[in-house]
Amino acid sequence: MQPSGHRNGEGQRDAEQDAARPGTLPPDGTVAARVARRAAAALSAVLAGLVRWMLRLALPLAGAAALLHSFPYRATVQGVPFRVEGSLLTRPGLSAETTLGSWVFPDLSGLPVGVRITPSDVDVLDLARAAGEDRAGFAQRLQADAAEQFPRIAAWLVAEVVLGVALGLLAAAAINMSLRYLRGRPRRPDELQHRMRQLGAALAVVMAVALYGWVTYNPDWARQSRLTGTLAAAQLFPGQLADYYTQQSKVSDVLGSIVGLQASLQQQIDEDRAAGTALQIMFISDMHLAGNYPLVQAYAESYDVDLIVNTGDESEFGTSIELTSTYLDAMRAVTADTPMLWIAGNHDSPHTVDVMRTIPGVTVLGGKQSTADGFAVTAGMVRAFGLTVAGVSDPRTYGGPGAYGSDDGSVTGPLQRSATADALANVTGENERDRPFLDIFAAHGSVMAGEARELLGDRIRQTNTGHVHAQNKPADVQSDAGIDLVEGSTGAGGLDNIVRGAARPPVAFTIESVAEDCQFTRVIRFQIRSIRPEETSPAEAADPQGSGSDVTASTIYLRPQDIAEVRSCGTELGIGEAEPL
């Protein structure tokens, strides 16, 4: 017979071995059992803490959002009643809503808060009538009246946020106390002090968030705006919209008043910062044989465009037969009144370049020639209205041999960079003073524009490219390196998207204002959502308001650049002959 202590030791080891086996529960009293109970209790405490903190965070935010939405500030500006409503986490920035579209300023601060201003029971047509003939004066009075009421509006919205947070915390505390009661836990002896500490902490968080909003406040918030709806379409089709309103028995000059009022308000934003506009430049790209030149013409005429810069991809397969007489006639109608600077894209062959040189009003920058193994490109330069504009065509061509016909960026990137370096070899010497100063450098793709910046540095003020069928983001338009505009497809992808079976991008183009001292002051970037003809009824196609709902116009004001003070730009300076760079 073995001693009982020995048997007990074996039993302990057996129990521990059983506990180590998968799928077995440790007996009560073992070390593993105590560890498991403590782990379960810790997990339960963590989950309970997470639920409590979710309530403490979600309910105050929900309370503040609910009050901001339910109790807007009511204001009257120049006799027009407005509703001012705040928002949290949705629609950040400042927006003004009307029956004809919206005007949005998205960059107030880094906080996800927004303020929406909406006329109450007032049609924007009535607002335009109230402006009368003195639209600029009415815009000034609107601005002054709104500025006078801003402190009261801000105080109202802040008070709603604080009250909403307090109500949310009160609801969270009530839920917490109810759960404690249902679980049979006693009431805390210092419950009131505990809740007051929570309220103080919450107010401290609110103050910290407000401080963050103050620190991240963007004083140039008005330099980026976006128009949607008919307000945007009015800038595209003023004549057609005026006809529409006349046909609908509306006062014929009401639409002009709306656009004039919006323009006056826009001018108020920047009137002290920008010199007088000397000329307007329109940037288009990637037509891909789409029949959109009538649209380009209508907008160039209505917006007084003085120069068009086209960064290529006119054709699809690079054959001269693609450029039909109908297509070229539409282009000629544009360039008869508005000169165009053009470079070849990766879908444009030397045959395309030869055809483009025959179009009156078109200046081709640089050249593109066939070689034994591919294509060679050269850089060209022209002086237009006081600006120096240069460009290099893309060395690729659709269906070309090897890298010249590839879509693989790892293959085409080195080709494009070497082609750019070769094209600029004559102007990238050791002496920086001998390098040209280029106001605009045009290339089809951003790889070539980036290589040009590497070679010429701050001698390039602005690059203009296309190729990707999408405009670059507003935040990427201007940096310390300069201005970079990546244009979308003005042809909505055209034949290229049909060939590839890809969804159509929006029609896109940009208008840039140039001041008398040659500073680039503002760009307005348009996007028109592409709708297939089979998706649109004839009545909808003829309705400008229906078209307006698909138009977005974004305004970006540009910071002044470091250029010579003696610069002067204007259409009276004309356009010179193209020359090699």
Side-chain angles (χ1 to χ4, degrees), residues 287-290 315-317 322 491 493-500:
M287 295 296 288
H288 287 292
L289 301 175
S315 64
E316 179 63 24
F317 305 107
E322 294 174 70
L495 185 58
D496 190 48
N497 280 63
I498 296 176
V499 170
R500 300 176 188 275

Side-chain angles (χ1 to χ4, degrees), residues 6 26 47 50 67 77 109 125 139 160 171 194 265 335 371 373 380 397 413 425 427 475 521 536 567 577:
H6 179 73
L47 291 176
L50 287 175
L67 283 184
V77 179
S109 72
L125 302 178
E160 285 188 321
H194 178 71
L265 288 169
T335 58
T371 64
D373 58 352
T397 296
V427 295
T521 58
T536 308
R567 295 288 302 274
E577 295 292 330

Side-chain angles (χ1 to χ4, degrees), residues 526-560:
F526 290 91
Q527 290 190 5
I528 310 171
R529 186 171 63 86
S530 179
I531 300 178
R532 297 179 184 275
E534 61 269 20
E535 297 175 353
T536 308
S537 68
E540 291 173 331
D543 182 359
Q545 284 191 320
S547 300
S549 63
D550 303 313
V551 180
T552 299
S554 301
T555 303
I556 304 173
Y557 285 90
L558 303 170
R559 299 187 301 273

Side-chain angles (χ1 to χ4, degrees), residues 510-523:
T510 296
I511 298 293
E512 183 172 51
S513 299
V514 183
E516 296 169 352
D517 60 358
C518 297
Q519 290 284 359
F520 301 126
T521 58
R522 181 185 71 179
V523 292

Side-chain angles (χ1 to χ4, degrees), residues 173-235:
I175 293 174
N176 182 256
M177 293 175 66
S178 299
L179 291 176
R180 287 180 64 87
Y181 175 78
L182 293 174
R183 296 172 65 181
R185 292 187 177 182
R187 180 177 178 274
R188 293 188 183 93
D190 60 341
E191 186 70 41
L192 181 59
Q193 293 86 341
H194 178 71
R195 299 304 173 187
M196 292 303 295
R197 287 194 296 269
Q198 287 185 345
L199 178 60
L203 292 178
V205 170
V206 171
M207 294 300 295
V209 170
L211 178 62
Y212 174 76
W214 178 73
V215 170
T216 60
Y217 171 73
N218 179 15
D220 293 326
W221 60 268
R223 300 179 78 85
Q224 288 192 14
S225 66
R226 183 174 66 253
L227 282 172
T228 62
T230 306
L231 283 177
Q235 299 191 55

